[in-house]
Amino acid sequence: MALAVVVGVGAGVGSVVFRWCIKTFTGLLSGRSDYSASPGASNPHVPWLGPYFVLLTPVIGGLLYGPLVNRFAKEARGHGVPEVMQAVAQRGGRISPKVAVVKTLASALTIGSGGSVGREGPIVQIGSALGSTLGRVTRAAEGRTKLLVACGAAGGIAATFNAPLAGVFFALELILGTFSAEAFGATVSASVTASIIGRASFGDVAFLNLPAFHVDHLAQYGLFALLGVVAAVVGMGFARFLYLVEDACDWLWRGPEWLRPAVGGLALGLVLLALPQMYGVGYPVLERATEGGYTVGFLLLLLVGKMLATSLTIGIGGSGGVFAPSLFIGAMLGSAYGIGVHDLIPGTAGAVGAYALIGMGAVFAGAARAPITAVVILFELTGEYSIILPLMLAIVLATATSRLLSRDTIYTLKLRRRGIDLEGPAPGAAIGGQHVGTVMEPLPSALPATTSLSDAADLLSLSGHGALPVMDDAGRYVGVVTAQAVAEALAEQPEGAPAQVGQLAAPPAPVTADQPLAQALHTLLSAAGTGVPVLDAEQGKPVGWLSHQSALRAVHATA
């Protein structure tokens, strides 16, 4: 807990420095604190260029951050969160301390020079690098180092967006991928500490100023539900388009990598000249959209423009996050949708801004598949509890639709394209690449479903497995009964308690003989007993047994 507080201090200070760098570079290169608030205006530093200065700012920024990233920390390129997820899943939480410094400068230069990306990815990587460094300095165990990485991510999100709850759930849901009392306590400590520093520096105000919304008609829930499904399609479309543009940039560029952001900045400059609202993060444009300040046609143009500008910024080697662009795209989609339904059914549709708000959360949930984070951060943005029900409905439907459309999120897709599967083994790992069928043990003798608990206790105590498969009278596989379940049932023995093992048997997540061992290990580690049955892929019948010992024998099989 003490280390978590220290990480929170580091993440809070890091967020203050990062935001100051963004403001400074934006002011130097555009002459304004946020150019998207006055799109198309001239730069007071070079007024004779008029609005055409935006053709040069991405080039200047690329000439500065391109060599910096290429020379000192190539992992600082892109949106950052996938690299942190990989470090926690496969590298024991190890992140180079150089990343914190390089990411701060590179992302601030990218955003300040017009890159249409967000600041959540960079601050997550910055805070996580600080947490990882502290873990190594104090020689913390691997599990504690991973937790400190998550604390850094939570603190960064909390301080940057004044959203302490969202920081906690972002770290647990996306970085750690697990919930526990220890993880929750540590990330809360870091988040609160970082938030105190952030509020002392930026004030206790939400980073977006959105009007209050209410649900006035029950039929609106159906409209919000449909918006959630549409938002999921748009969110996944954004993810696919992002990497399509990145592939195109990879295919086109043949020069040195350090020069790529500057040359690609010419293309980004053309986009900014056509749509100056794309300059930087674009929160003023987002706020105006929620207030109904644009027509449907222009909202859709801004939606497509943001997809293109963000994808191009990442594709040419820029450094920045995709969270804020997801919110931006969702606000444009929601506003356009809200105006449309308001024109069709004006007496029922309600305020247009409510659809913009819910579109923001639903597009992010569809792209990142982090429903808890999406609900919490949108609630913290507005402080409006009245919108929580339609928000939850749309976000859950967006998450479910996204899962049907793709197995990957906007974060994991980047890693899978590199051949990295977070559920698979780390590169070079001794365990994980084999198939279950090559390491499984013979199936232990199954228990009939009618076996009494006392007889089952005797058989389980002699088996050495801690769990045994259960078959019904027809020889069909019912599930697995564990020694723990039998012991608890015998200890309690209330009236109407189970008398046969068939009533206690439950099938664990299926493990098949042709499944990679790395995937099966996740099921094995979460199993209540010391092993799980291996099923035939076609008929679903048990054909073997996978235990921790049989998994370890895979090391000798490959030696």
Side-chain angles (χ1 to χ4, degrees):
M1 297 294 286
L3 291 177
V5 171
V6 174
V7 172
V9 172
V13 173
S15 69
V16 173
V17 173
F18 180 51
R19 287 184 62 171
W20 178 84
C21 289
I22 293 175
K23 185 176 181 180
T24 300
F25 291 141
T26 303
L28 288 174
L29 294 169
S30 73
R32 302 173 187 277
S33 59
D34 192 335
Y35 184 73
S36 65
S38 51
S42 61
N43 186 337
H45 299 320
V46 283
W48 48 274
L49 282 176
Y52 293 94
F53 80 94
V54 296
L55 292 172
L56 299 177
T57 51
V59 177
I60 296 171
L63 285 173
L64 294 173
Y65 70 76
L68 178 69
V69 171
N70 192 65
R71 173 66 178 83
F72 295 103
K74 293 182 179 179
E75 60 267 43
R77 175 183 170 183
H79 46 102
V81 175
E83 286 75 14
V84 176
M85 294 169 68
Q86 184 188 5
V88 170
Q90 298 184 341
R91 295 179 183 168
R94 293 184 296 276
I95 303 173
S96 172
K98 294 185 298 183
V99 171
V101 177
V102 176
K103 192 73 175 181
T104 299
L105 294 174
S107 297
L109 282 167
T110 300
I111 297 171
S113 62
S116 192
V117 285
R119 57 184 187 231
E120 99 294 334
I123 195 58
V124 164
Q125 203 168 10
I126 292 165
S128 297
L130 293 173
S132 176
T133 302
L134 182 61
R136 278 184 288 176
V137 168
T138 59
R139 297 183 180 179
E142 183 177 301
R144 292 294 174 88
T145 300
K146 292 180 179 180
L147 185 51
L148 290 176
V149 169
C151 288
I157 291 287
T160 302
F161 298 116
N162 191 21
L165 279 175
V168 171
F169 286 107
F170 184 95
L172 296 178
E173 194 172 25
L174 285 173
I175 305 302
L176 283 181
T178 184
F179 293 81
S180 67
E182 181 185 21
F184 183 77
T187 52
V188 164
S189 298
S191 182
V192 169
T193 304
S195 290
I196 292 172
I197 295 174
R199 291 182 179 185
S201 303
F202 311 127
D204 187 9
V205 292
F207 78 98
L208 285 178
N209 183 23
L210 302 177
F213 303 115
H214 302 277
V215 178
D216 302 316
H217 199 288
L218 288 177
Q220 289 178 242
Y221 285 100
L223 298 174
F224 290 133
L226 179 59
L227 175 58
V229 175
V230 175
V233 177
V234 172
M236 289 310 304
F238 171 46
R240 298 292 178 178
F241 185 73
L242 173 69
Y243 297 115
L244 180 66
V245 172
E246 190 173 10
D247 285 342
C249 292
D250 291 340
W251 180 77
L252 288 171
W253 182 246
R254 293 294 182 269
E257 282 300 310
W258 65 267
L259 190 58
R260 176 170 167 170
V263 176
L266 291 171
L268 178 59
L270 291 172
V271 175
L272 296 178
L273 184 62
L275 274 177
Q277 292 84 357
M278 299 299 105
Y279 197 108
V281 183
Y283 288 137
V285 182
L286 188 155
E287 291 179 2
R288 185 175 177 186
T290 62
E291 296 167 357
Y294 301 117
T295 62
V296 172
F298 193 65
L299 286 167
L300 296 178
L301 179 62
L302 290 174
L303 186 155
V304 175
K306 194 66 173 182
M307 284 189 179
L308 177 60
T310 300
S311 302
L312 194 55
T313 303
I314 299 293
I316 64 175
S319 177
V322 295
F323 169 73
S326 297
L327 295 185
F328 187 101
I329 292 168
M332 302 307 117
L333 173 68
S335 294
Y337 179 91
I339 292 173
V341 297
H342 192 273
D343 290 342
L344 290 174
I345 42 177
T348 304
V352 171
Y355 295 92
L357 175 63
I358 289 173
M360 289 164 62
V363 167
F364 172 68
R369 213 168 297 156
I372 301 176
T373 302
V375 170
V376 171
I377 198 166
L378 265 296
F379 175 67
E380 286 190 294
L381 286 183
T382 61
E384 280 291 326
Y385 186 76
S386 59
I387 204 73
I388 197 73
L389 291 181
L391 186 64
M392 291 170 65
L393 175 64
I395 284 175
V396 167
L397 288 175
T399 304
T401 304
S402 172
R403 190 177 295 276
L404 289 175
L405 293 175
S406 173
R407 63 179 293 191
D408 285 307
T409 70
I410 197 169
Y411 298 128
T412 61
L413 184 58
K414 179 179 181 179
L415 297 174
R416 193 176 300 280
R417 284 158 41 84
R418 297 177 182 172
I420 300 170
D421 183 359
L422 293 182
E423 296 181 354
I431 296 180
Q434 308 85 350
H435 284 83
V436 173
T438 63
V439 300
M440 67 183 185
E441 304 172 0
L443 185 70
S445 299
L447 294 176
T450 55
T451 304
S452 65
L453 295 187
S454 57
D455 290 341
D458 293 336
L459 294 171
L460 282 165
S461 66
L462 297 173
S463 71
H465 288 289
L468 289 172
V470 177
M471 302 288 189
D472 64 12
D473 294 336
R476 292 187 296 266
Y477 170 64
V478 175
V480 171
V481 64
T482 65
Q484 177 184 354
V486 172
E488 289 175 351
L490 288 172
E492 295 173 3
Q493 286 291 354
E495 184 178 352
Q500 299 177 341
V501 294
Q503 297 171 274
L504 294 177
V511 173
T512 58
D514 59 352
Q515 188 175 2
L517 181 58
Q519 295 181 7
L521 285 176
H522 291 285
T523 303
L524 179 61
L525 292 173
S526 61
T530 58
V532 291
V534 179
L535 307 179
D536 178 80
E538 296 181 357
Q539 300 179 355
K541 294 182 178 180
V543 294
W545 191 260
L546 179 66
S547 66
H548 298 90
Q549 292 88 342
S550 59
L552 287 175
R553 279 194 287 272
V555 177
H556 300 287
T558 57

